[in-house]
Amino acid sequence: MSTQTTQAQPTTILIAGATGMMGKKVGHALLAKPGVTLRLLVRDTHKARQKLKDLIKAGAQLIQGDLSEPESLNAACQDVDAIISTVQGDHDVIVTGQLDLLRAAEQAGVRRFIPSDYSFDSFRLDEGDNYNADLRRAFATMLQQSAVSYTFVFNGAFTEVELSPWGTLFDEQKTTFSYYGDGNTPFDITTTDDTALYVAEVVRDPAYQNKIFRVAGDILTAKQFLQTYRDVTGKPIKEQPLGSIDDLKTLIEHKKAAGAPLNDYLPLQYHYVMVSGKGKLSELQNNHYLHIHPQTLKAYLKAHPD
Ligand SMILES: NC(=O)c1ccc[n+]([C@@H]2O[C@H](COP(=O)([O-])OP(=O)(O)OC[C@H]3O[C@@H](n4cnc5c(N)ncnc54)[C@H](OP(=O)(O)O)[C@@H]3O)[C@@H](O)[C@H]2O)c1
């Protein structure tokens, strides 16, 4: 158990996906640590200079590269100790793109690769349960077979996402709270800020070389989630059970069979993984970094009253 990263290993770290929501947060978390040289892989340096001005001011260097242009990745990986991927996209990005980055990393002798997961335990899911998890598992298999060490970071759902309509629990106006199942199955949530802090730790921690790091800021059932929301905000909100887990599965399969666009059923697939308990994290390692105090839902809501 460590309270700080005393045996910090890699010092030059490349973030792929730096202009994105998680990429920026991970970048700031890394630059708060001593001895880190940070490189940000960006597709468009002109646009990125504006988007990432705080990180650049704090010492990060931009390097141009695109996961869909493999030849652009070799220079980006030179003298890099570890890569943290926070990219988002379809098969071309999550599987083909990350694989091209991994091949460049192997060539350059990069020692650690954290792929873009930051989610529930995708290894516990079956093919087809969740489209995004299928892509991430496909890449994970290739990473595990590569010459580069891996660390998978699993944190359940982002707290912020579960509070947004995308999380499917709340409607846009937060007047109803809907869920499938009996509402009594626990699931994991962690804030984006806390997840970034953990990523900045594990990437340099030899304890997580070729390991999965699992963490949760809070563990709640749907009913507990709703009760916490009501307790903290005092807002009236209607509880709306929508049916059984089987009903949810049937709805998703029906949408898929009818050729619905992915975005029409992907949020439901995330909901399924959570309320069914299928993606539940076990063997949480919250205690490994005692200086990080991940926010519970209650703490997050109190800190973000809007
Ligand atoms: N557990 C949860 O509840 C939860 C919720 C949300 C996200 N996540 C996960 O967190 C990870 C990061 O998501 P995010 O929301 O931070 O993503 P995001 O904000 O959409 O950012 C995606 C990043 O990927 C970059 N990118 C896309 N295609 C690229 C390519 N071909 N080459 C280089 N860079 C490319 C984008 O660069 P440009 O600026 O150039 O487009 C951007 O920097 C994903 O794996 C996502 O699934 C988890």
Side-chain angles (χ1 to χ4, degrees), residues 250-305:
T250 304
L251 175 64
I252 294 168
E253 293 312 319
H254 177 76
K255 282 178 181 279
K256 274 169 88 172
L262 177 64
N263 276 343
D264 204 17
Y265 60 85
L266 188 60
L268 294 175
Q269 288 191 325
Y270 274 88
H271 187 67
Y272 166 74
V273 171
M274 291 168 63
V275 294
S276 67
K278 206 164 174 181
K280 179 81 187 71
L281 301 177
S282 57
E283 301 171 51
L284 292 176
Q285 286 119 9
N286 286 36
N287 288 340
H288 196 85
Y289 304 108
L290 291 174
H291 59 289
I292 302 177
H293 306 283
Q295 273 186 316
T296 59
L297 177 63
K298 186 175 175 181
Y300 180 86
L301 288 169
K302 283 186 169 175
H304 300 83

Side-chain angles (χ1 to χ4, degrees), residues 40-306:
L40 310 174
L41 184 81
V42 297
R43 293 197 274 192
D44 182 329
T45 46
H46 184 69
K47 282 188 194 156
R49 212 159 265 133
Q50 185 57 29
K51 281 187 192 169
L52 302 174
K53 57 179 185 303
D54 291 346
L55 281 172
I56 295 167
K57 208 168 155 193
Q61 305 154 6
L62 296 188
I63 183 146
Q64 200 282 329
D66 189 324
L67 298 198
S68 62
E69 293 165 8
E71 64 288 354
S72 70
L73 304 174
N74 295 323
C77 291
Q78 284 308 312
D79 303 317
V80 165
D81 296 303
I83 292 175
I84 299 172
S85 172
T86 60
V87 293
Q88 180 63 295
D90 210 327
H91 190 281
D92 60 324
V93 176
I94 299 297
V95 184
T96 316
Q98 288 197 116
L99 184 58
D100 284 334
L101 182 60
L102 177 62
R103 294 295 172 242
E106 280 179 316
Q107 287 287 323
V110 173
R111 286 183 279 152
R112 190 86 70 94
F113 195 120
I114 299 184
S116 193
D117 290 311
Y118 321 115
S119 190
F120 40 69
D121 189 343
S122 52
F123 292 116
R124 295 189 57 192
L125 304 186
D126 292 311
E127 200 69 14
D129 279 342
N130 182 289
Y131 181 83
N132 279 353
D134 292 349
L135 299 179
R136 282 153 179 77
R137 252 193 338 274
F139 177 68
T141 306
M142 295 184 280
L143 175 55
Q144 285 174 313
Q145 291 164 357
S146 80
V148 183
S149 299
Y150 60 84
T151 306
F152 300 113
V153 176
F154 294 150
N155 52 271
F158 287 147
T159 307
E160 296 90 330
V161 171
E162 288 316 301
L163 286 164
S164 77
W166 208 95
T168 75
L169 293 170
F170 293 93
D171 65 326
E172 195 77 49
Q173 285 74 35
K174 287 202 169 60
T175 52
T176 56
F177 181 92
S178 312
Y179 58 86
Y180 283 88
D182 63 7
N184 292 316
T185 301
F187 52 80
D188 311 287
I189 57 168
T190 311
T191 70
T192 52
D193 283 343
D194 289 333
T195 302
L197 292 178
Y198 285 114
V199 171
E201 293 293 343
V202 294
V203 70
R204 300 204 299 163
D205 191 339
Y208 286 102
Q209 184 172 338
N210 291 328
K211 294 269 165 49
I212 300 175
F213 177 72
R214 302 177 182 87
V215 72
D218 211 345
I219 302 170
L220 298 153
T221 65
K223 283 180 183 289
Q224 289 168 336
F225 198 112
L226 173 60
Q227 193 56 50
T228 304
Y229 184 82
R230 282 176 172 153
D231 289 348
V232 176
T233 66
K235 288 181 188 159
I237 182 161
K238 189 168 167 271
E239 181 172 352
Q240 192 170 265
L242 296 174
S244 67
I245 301 293
D246 281 348
D247 291 338
L248 174 56
K249 203 64 181 146
T250 304
L251 175 64
I252 294 168
E253 293 312 319
H254 177 76
K255 282 178 181 279
K256 274 169 88 172
L262 177 64
N263 276 343
D264 204 17
Y265 60 85
L266 188 60
L268 294 175
Q269 288 191 325
Y270 274 88
H271 187 67
Y272 166 74
V273 171
M274 291 168 63
V275 294
S276 67
K278 206 164 174 181
K280 179 81 187 71
L281 301 177
S282 57
E283 301 171 51
L284 292 176
Q285 286 119 9
N286 286 36
N287 288 340
H288 196 85
Y289 304 108
L290 291 174
H291 59 289
I292 302 177
H293 306 283
Q295 273 186 316
T296 59
L297 177 63
K298 186 175 175 181
Y300 180 86
L301 288 169
K302 283 186 169 175
H304 300 83
D306 300 329

